[in-house]
Amino acid sequence: MTRWDTRRTARDERLRAGRAHATGKVVDPAKLADLLHDVIRPGDRVALEGDNQKQADFLSRTLAGCDPTRLNGLHMLISSVSRSEHLDLFERGIADRLDLAYAGPQSVRIAQMVEDGTVHIGAIHTYVELYARMFVDLAPDVVLLCAEQADREGNLYTGANTEDTPTIAEAAAFHDGVVIVQANGIVDTAALPRVDIPGSWVDFVVEADRPFFLEPLFTRDPRHIGPVEILKAMIAIRGVYERHQVVSLNHGVGFDTAAIELLLPTYGEQLGLKGRIARHWVLNPHPTLIPAIESGWVESIHSFGGESGMNRYAAARPDVFYTGADGSLRSNRVLAQLAGQYAIDMFIGSSLQIDADANSSTVTDGRLSGFGGAPNMGHDPHGRRHSSAAWLDLAHGDGASRRGRKLVVQMAQTFRAGGVPTFVETLDAVEVGKHAGMPLPPVMIYGDDVSHVVTEEGVAYLYRAHSLDDRRAALAAVAGVTPVGRSADARRVEGLRRDGLVAFPEDLRVETRLADRSLLAARSIEDLVAWSGGLYDPPAQFRDW
Amino acid sequence: MTRWDTRRTARDERLRAGRAHATGKVVDPAKLADLLHDVIRPGDRVALEGDNQKQADFLSRTLAGCDPTRLNGLHMLISSVSRSEHLDLFERGIADRLDLAYAGPQSVRIAQMVEDGTVHIGAIHTYVELYARMFVDLAPDVVLLCAEQADREGNLYTGANTEDTPTIAEAAAFHDGVVIVQANGIVDTAALPRVDIPGSWVDFVVEADRPFFLEPLFTRDPRHIGPVEILKAMIAIRGVYERHQVVSLNHGVGFDTAAIELLLPTYGEQLGLKGRIARHWVLNPHPTLIPAIESGWVESIHSFGGESGMNRYAAARPDVFYTGADGSLRSNRVLAQLAGQYAIDMFIGSSLQIDADANSSTVTDGRLSGFGGAPNMGHDPHGRRHSSAAWLDLAHGDGASRRGRKLVVQMAQTFRAGGVPTFVETLDAVEVGKHAGMPLPPVMIYGDDVSHVVTEEGVAYLYRAHSLDDRRAALAAVAGVTPVGRSADARRVEGLRRDGLVAFPEDLRVETRLADRSLLAARSIEDLVAWSGGLYDPPAQFRDW
């Protein structure tokens, strides 16, 4: 007779074993290692919350210290492999297989461990792809998660950095997996500011030895924004935001988009664009957006995660930010990704390397850093069916085939620091992918998804090109004296300008002589604090006063 | 001084006004109309849960009965406009603006009301697009939702048909909107089978006058599956599933895919395909999938919603279905959409009308029925970065541009009932869109997203075409004697078969003479009940014994 409840039976056994180390759902921190040894089984698929920002590091450190003779062969699902103990798991033989989305600071070590055969990579995903697979062919047996506070019934307050916790919890709680959560504090139910995840989804909670690790990934110090970033920002505002009347958008992280954020209340205001562009945002609470918010540019912001130091500010601006009834920020990566994919006019982000077809990658140093979330934002979603003015402005096709298009804008400086060209014949990613045995090169954003490229030379309106040859010529026209740019032919460039495939600053009435730091609404972190009326609390590494 | 908490202040006022008609969060059903009059304000944006299946109909009936001199100018967000009171709201002047995803049975009346100026359409979306906009530019002021059970603190059990409730609740609960929920029963906390949505997201609960309306949308009676559907299913299994080794997939609703489901345990088994194809599914609990599940074909199913009559069966098969700790089915449209978009090899669904470029539409009778969820499943997601064998099998491009592709398969019979051709020169949708003043024709799935078209004539492998002309010729080759098919040239078709752009049954070793009902694993609803061991409880309209 067929058994239809093997997962449930296994879950029941795991819970029974785990309860020996817990009082109800509450685990004694000193017994966490015992619990993990007894709840997790060799060969299990284990999702460990390493998000883009927050890290369930009490759980990961404890798991990495487990006995590999008892716990081994684990298949880890870690969206952001960013802590050394994530890889210690493999070195110690506790885990051997890894599915991930992003490696970041561990990318060099991970590449070496793949080469040594210590880590077997299932696949490298974007964040939401990895979560999607948890509901299809990578259902986790055990998930190790992270919260601000829990009560004894397992109700969780995830706070400003909700990020991915509800999604991973759902994958386990609703398919007979076990949900184990570390919390910064275990409190009485009445003391929970709000419940983000119901206790009936949670099996065990443990008070962490120290607050979970959180990285301030979205803070850019305005002091590092120079005239070239400012010029690119001016070009983008006139040549993209104003031209297409971009109302809803996502900014990638980086100094280029930070410069745009800081130019809205100055340059944007002078152009009379307030209220006409950039009203609805999907992005983490970028500190550099504070001046635009305070100047009344921003109607709403929905966030993938939080940002260190921004919690008091976000709580004081609930008309703009999504907050709970308790007043604190709510973030949710899956819903922000949904919003960013289906409900906005534009994605704009920086790229480190772009080839002649406008394929781009952030892999430039031989490291396999993964994808994160950019590919999901940086493509035209073919499942979209509603219109907006900006989307229709890029309409293409005839008859039944006619439809609009999301603006996918890449910003880049023709040369990076040290005179390294950004525009290259072949992406480094091609070689890195080959070396790592990947089935395809790890391209971040594909050229045919890119509608515009902005450099300090001007804008290439790639979406207007009728042929691949025109696309390449338009891109070359803004690529400066890089290997790609040197192929540009002056006569042809004039034709492309006439036909609207390329615009230089003078075509956009951008006065390059104005591109200096006096245009920045804030020139330092201290300025941002002042703009916030003291509500922004920058992390220590960004303070020098 | 700028006010940053206008939404919160308004929410506080609404809650204060509502509390006059409630004891704590519990509203006296007799006072629901009073509460709605006092909590909702003229001009509000109100999301009303009309999902694909379940309907918050106590709330919608009560709202439609409100006094238009007190409550008017509402902007309604209703994903599925399927009940007459949804439109009564407009006729009575309570609402005047509508954003929707699907109209279904109300599509004729809605078209008339748009023409009369009684309903102003914001846009027609897919389901997830509409939810996405609730986090960007369509944040609701009040949401009216639906649950199986609630406790007095507002904790909700949404049961098998969770569908969209958590997503819409989140849009309001975390942006100072008011959340009002009807429940079939209000019970003690301890009596809730599980908590799907925490009470801290919910402001008011009311016991409904009768259980919420639920439509059995995914039940197909095998008696209506004839030899042509069976032939198409055989062609699809050999020409698509087997050829590309499709492991993970989504089936649209309809008799074509129901036939495939019923052929897996017979024809699929004979071909030795069990365990090699169709192991992981994203779809509602289709009753016609029961024989394949019972025969051990199906490892997992994640669902957008539930299906009437399938709850006992799903609860008894927890290794396959996603279920809660209480044992009952869990569904979640947003996560199933995420899974369907980013984690599966194939979407396959039926179409009613297809043009020469393979654009397709279900609009064939002058009605504006909307999009539902098919466009989100029926496109190649460019944000995907992990590989699978089937996805790589459709790889295209060179160098950095090389990538795989999702299989997007359209099934159709060359002629529909009454001799109406499926393949046409121009989709009816073009005229309907023009008439309704839509900015673009309401195309369900765009031709350039379609990789394969399956008819009773054979398979067109559109993804293999190197030119638009080849694509059209391949499609024409399987379009029979329809206006599109008559353009096919016999000599050219032979070339297309040689080059692998077209396959006829004999090319696929499909024996057309075997295409009869004896191949169906179940030939009636009664057979499905028998396969389920009596666990499937078909709705009354599907019973005749």
Side-chain angles (χ1 to χ4, degrees), chain B residues 331-353:
Chain B
S331 60
N332 184 325
R333 188 170 325 280
V334 162
L335 291 178
Q337 282 275 353
L338 192 77
Q341 180 161 306
Y342 283 120
I344 63 174
D345 294 329
M346 177 172 81
F347 161 78
I348 181 166
S350 292
S351 202
L352 293 181
Q353 206 174 55

Short mmCIF file of all heavy atoms in Angstrom, two decimals, chain B residues 331-353:
data_model
loop_
_atom_site.label_atom_id
_atom_site.label_comp_id
_atom_site.label_asym_id
_atom_site.label_seq_id
_atom_site.Cartn_x
_atom_site.Cartn_y
_atom_site.Cartn_z
N SER B 331 -3.33 26.96 -0.23
CA SER B 331 -3.09 27.52 -1.56
C SER B 331 -2.64 28.96 -1.38
O SER B 331 -2.79 29.54 -0.30
CB SER B 331 -4.37 27.46 -2.40
OG SER B 331 -5.41 28.20 -1.78
N ASN B 332 -2.09 29.56 -2.41
CA ASN B 332 -1.62 30.94 -2.34
C ASN B 332 -1.31 31.38 -3.77
O ASN B 332 -0.35 30.92 -4.37
CB ASN B 332 -0.36 31.02 -1.45
CG ASN B 332 0.14 32.44 -1.26
OD1 ASN B 332 0.06 33.28 -2.16
ND2 ASN B 332 0.66 32.74 -0.07
N ARG B 333 -2.18 32.25 -4.31
CA ARG B 333 -2.02 32.58 -5.72
C ARG B 333 -0.68 33.23 -6.03
O ARG B 333 -0.02 32.88 -7.01
CB ARG B 333 -3.14 33.48 -6.24
CG ARG B 333 -3.08 33.67 -7.78
CD ARG B 333 -4.30 34.35 -8.39
NE ARG B 333 -5.49 33.98 -7.70
CZ ARG B 333 -6.16 32.83 -7.89
NH1 ARG B 333 -5.76 31.98 -8.79
NH2 ARG B 333 -7.23 32.58 -7.19
N VAL B 334 -0.26 34.19 -5.21
CA VAL B 334 0.98 34.90 -5.52
C VAL B 334 2.17 33.95 -5.53
O VAL B 334 3.02 34.01 -6.42
CB VAL B 334 1.18 36.08 -4.55
CG1 VAL B 334 2.63 36.55 -4.55
CG2 VAL B 334 0.27 37.25 -4.96
N LEU B 335 2.23 33.05 -4.55
CA LEU B 335 3.37 32.13 -4.53
C LEU B 335 3.28 31.08 -5.63
O LEU B 335 4.29 30.68 -6.20
CB LEU B 335 3.52 31.49 -3.15
CG LEU B 335 3.97 32.48 -2.06
CD1 LEU B 335 4.06 31.79 -0.71
CD2 LEU B 335 5.32 33.12 -2.40
N ALA B 336 2.08 30.64 -5.97
CA ALA B 336 1.93 29.70 -7.08
C ALA B 336 2.30 30.38 -8.40
O ALA B 336 2.91 29.79 -9.28
CB ALA B 336 0.51 29.14 -7.14
N GLN B 337 1.93 31.66 -8.52
CA GLN B 337 2.32 32.42 -9.71
C GLN B 337 3.84 32.55 -9.77
O GLN B 337 4.45 32.45 -10.84
CB GLN B 337 1.69 33.81 -9.68
CG GLN B 337 0.23 33.83 -10.08
CD GLN B 337 0.04 33.92 -11.59
OE1 GLN B 337 0.99 34.11 -12.35
NE2 GLN B 337 -1.19 33.77 -12.03
N LEU B 338 4.46 32.81 -8.63
CA LEU B 338 5.93 32.91 -8.59
C LEU B 338 6.55 31.58 -9.03
O LEU B 338 7.47 31.55 -9.84
CB LEU B 338 6.36 33.26 -7.17
CG LEU B 338 7.81 33.68 -6.98
CD1 LEU B 338 7.98 35.13 -7.46
CD2 LEU B 338 8.22 33.59 -5.52
N ALA B 339 6.00 30.49 -8.47
CA ALA B 339 6.50 29.16 -8.83
C ALA B 339 6.28 28.89 -10.31
O ALA B 339 7.15 28.39 -11.01
CB ALA B 339 5.80 28.10 -7.97
N GLY B 340 5.10 29.25 -10.81
CA GLY B 340 4.77 29.00 -12.21
C GLY B 340 5.59 29.84 -13.15
O GLY B 340 5.84 29.47 -14.30
N GLN B 341 6.00 30.98 -12.68
CA GLN B 341 6.79 31.84 -13.55
C GLN B 341 8.26 31.47 -13.55
O GLN B 341 8.89 31.43 -14.60
CB GLN B 341 6.62 33.29 -13.09
CG GLN B 341 7.40 34.26 -13.94
CD GLN B 341 6.88 35.67 -13.80
OE1 GLN B 341 5.71 35.94 -13.98
NE2 GLN B 341 7.75 36.56 -13.45
N TYR B 342 8.80 31.19 -12.37
CA TYR B 342 10.26 31.06 -12.28
C TYR B 342 10.78 29.65 -12.04
O TYR B 342 11.98 29.44 -12.07
CB TYR B 342 10.79 31.99 -11.18
CG TYR B 342 10.84 33.43 -11.61
CD1 TYR B 342 10.12 34.42 -10.95
CD2 TYR B 342 11.62 33.81 -12.70
CE1 TYR B 342 10.17 35.74 -11.36
CE2 TYR B 342 11.67 35.13 -13.11
CZ TYR B 342 10.95 36.09 -12.44
OH TYR B 342 11.01 37.39 -12.85
N ALA B 343 9.92 28.69 -11.73
CA ALA B 343 10.47 27.40 -11.31
C ALA B 343 10.00 26.21 -12.14
O ALA B 343 10.28 25.08 -11.78
CB ALA B 343 10.13 27.16 -9.83
N ILE B 344 9.30 26.44 -13.24
CA ILE B 344 8.81 25.27 -13.99
C ILE B 344 9.26 25.32 -15.45
O ILE B 344 9.61 26.37 -15.98
CB ILE B 344 7.26 25.14 -13.93
CG1 ILE B 344 6.56 26.34 -14.57
CG2 ILE B 344 6.82 24.93 -12.48
CD1 ILE B 344 5.04 26.19 -14.65
N ASP B 345 9.23 24.13 -16.05
CA ASP B 345 9.67 23.97 -17.43
C ASP B 345 8.64 24.46 -18.44
O ASP B 345 8.99 24.92 -19.52
CB ASP B 345 9.92 22.49 -17.73
CG ASP B 345 11.07 21.90 -16.95
OD1 ASP B 345 12.02 22.65 -16.65
OD2 ASP B 345 11.01 20.70 -16.62
N MET B 346 7.35 24.30 -18.12
CA MET B 346 6.35 24.47 -19.17
C MET B 346 5.01 24.98 -18.65
O MET B 346 4.56 24.60 -17.59
CB MET B 346 6.11 23.11 -19.85
CG MET B 346 5.01 23.14 -20.92
SD MET B 346 4.90 21.61 -21.88
CE MET B 346 3.96 20.58 -20.74
N PHE B 347 4.39 25.83 -19.47
CA PHE B 347 2.96 26.12 -19.37
C PHE B 347 2.30 25.55 -20.60
O PHE B 347 2.78 25.75 -21.72
CB PHE B 347 2.72 27.63 -19.32
CG PHE B 347 1.30 28.02 -19.68
CD1 PHE B 347 0.27 27.87 -18.77
CD2 PHE B 347 0.99 28.52 -20.95
CE1 PHE B 347 -1.05 28.22 -19.11
CE2 PHE B 347 -0.31 28.86 -21.30
CZ PHE B 347 -1.33 28.71 -20.37
N ILE B 348 1.18 24.88 -20.42
CA ILE B 348 0.41 24.40 -21.57
C ILE B 348 -1.07 24.68 -21.31
O ILE B 348 -1.57 24.41 -20.22
CB ILE B 348 0.68 22.90 -21.85
CG1 ILE B 348 -0.11 22.41 -23.07
CG2 ILE B 348 0.42 22.03 -20.64
CD1 ILE B 348 0.36 21.06 -23.59
N GLY B 349 -1.72 25.27 -22.28
CA GLY B 349 -3.12 25.61 -22.12
C GLY B 349 -3.82 25.68 -23.46
O GLY B 349 -3.18 25.72 -24.51
N SER B 350 -5.13 25.71 -23.39
CA SER B 350 -5.93 25.75 -24.61
C SER B 350 -6.21 27.17 -25.03
O SER B 350 -6.25 28.08 -24.19
CB SER B 350 -7.28 25.08 -24.36
OG SER B 350 -7.08 23.71 -24.17
N SER B 351 -6.43 27.35 -26.30
CA SER B 351 -6.81 28.66 -26.78
C SER B 351 -8.00 28.55 -27.70
O SER B 351 -8.21 27.52 -28.34
CB SER B 351 -5.63 29.31 -27.49
OG SER B 351 -5.82 30.70 -27.48
N LEU B 352 -8.80 29.60 -27.75
CA LEU B 352 -10.01 29.57 -28.58
C LEU B 352 -9.77 30.21 -29.94
O LEU B 352 -10.47 29.91 -30.89
CB LEU B 352 -11.15 30.31 -27.87
CG LEU B 352 -11.66 29.63 -26.59
CD1 LEU B 352 -12.81 30.42 -25.99
CD2 LEU B 352 -12.10 28.19 -26.89
N GLN B 353 -8.81 31.10 -30.01
CA GLN B 353 -8.56 31.80 -31.27
C GLN B 353 -7.08 32.15 -31.36
O GLN B 353 -6.52 32.67 -30.41
CB GLN B 353 -9.42 33.07 -31.33
CG GLN B 353 -9.73 33.50 -32.74
CD GLN B 353 -10.69 34.66 -32.78
OE1 GLN B 353 -10.45 35.70 -32.16
NE2 GLN B 353 -11.78 34.52 -33.52
#
